[in-house]
Amino acid sequence: MNETCIWKFTNSNARSSNESTDTRNADARNADARNADARNADARNADARNADARNADARNADARNANARNADARNADARNADARNANARNADARNADARNADARNANARNADARNADARNANARNANARNADARNADARNANARNANARNADARNANARNANATNAGDVDVRRSRLWMRSEA
């Protein structure tokens, strides 16, 4: 009787102990499961954060690249604008040089024309002076010739008068001689 009770009590304790162990094991498994779920949730959250960080990095990299491209485009535009401005300034300088060259050429042509006019005027004046000298020479020659002719005429007249006077004297002498003879 006593042995039977002890055995029953022992079996009962063993069952209770087994049940407690099972419960503890189940609790442990549940805790492990909860811990595993938590770890998985943490891992998922960490993965999500890492993915967000990577996406943010990618977006930032894209933004930096876009900013760099925009900066390059602005710099290229500025360089192109500088080149256009430099070309415009060079064209203006070339045009100014051409205008200055045209002005210098025009001034040279005008100076040549003025010099030619002066030479022509000098030539005309020299020709006029030469013509005046020739005319004066001709007038002087004409006057000398007229004076010579006048002198010749006076001399001829004087000779003629002398001859006439001499003839008259001869006639008078012959008349006187004839009278005296008579």
Side-chain angles (χ1 to χ4, degrees):
M1 181 83 179
N2 288 334
E3 289 177 4
T4 302
C5 287
I6 290 169
W7 179 81
K8 284 184 179 180
F9 178 74
T10 300
N11 285 340
S12 173
N13 284 340
R15 279 196 304 274
S16 293
S17 176
N18 287 338
E19 288 171 358
S20 295
T21 299
D22 290 341
T23 299
R24 282 193 300 275
N25 288 337
D27 290 341
R29 282 193 299 273
N30 289 334
D32 289 340
R34 281 193 300 274
N35 289 334
D37 290 340
R39 280 193 300 274
N40 290 335
D42 289 342
R44 283 193 297 275
N45 289 334
D47 289 341
R49 281 193 300 273
N50 289 334
D52 289 342
R54 282 192 299 274
N55 290 335
D57 288 341
R59 282 193 299 273
N60 289 335
D62 289 342
R64 281 193 299 274
N65 290 335
N67 288 337
R69 282 192 299 273
N70 289 335
D72 288 342
R74 282 192 300 272
N75 289 335
D77 289 342
R79 281 192 299 273
N80 289 335
D82 289 342
R84 283 193 298 273
N85 290 335
N87 289 338
R89 281 193 299 273
N90 289 335
D92 289 341
R94 282 193 298 274
N95 290 335
D97 289 342
R99 283 193 297 273
N100 290 335
D102 289 342
R104 282 193 299 273
N105 290 334
N107 289 336
R109 283 193 298 273
N110 290 335
D112 289 342
R114 282 192 299 272
N115 290 334
D117 289 342
R119 282 192 299 273
N120 290 335
N122 290 337
R124 282 193 299 274
N125 290 336
N127 290 337
R129 282 193 299 273
N130 290 334
D132 289 342
R134 283 192 299 273
N135 290 334
D137 289 342
R139 282 192 299 272
N140 291 334
N142 289 338
R144 281 192 301 275
N145 291 334
N147 289 337
R149 282 192 299 274
N150 290 335
D152 291 341
R154 282 192 299 275
N155 290 333
N157 288 337
R159 282 192 300 275
N160 290 335
N162 289 336
T164 301
N165 290 335
D168 287 344
V169 168
D170 289 339
V171 168
R172 281 195 300 274
R173 281 184 185 150
S174 65
R175 282 182 186 157
L176 288 173
W177 179 77
M178 287 173 64
R179 227 178 284 140
S180 69
E181 287 291 322

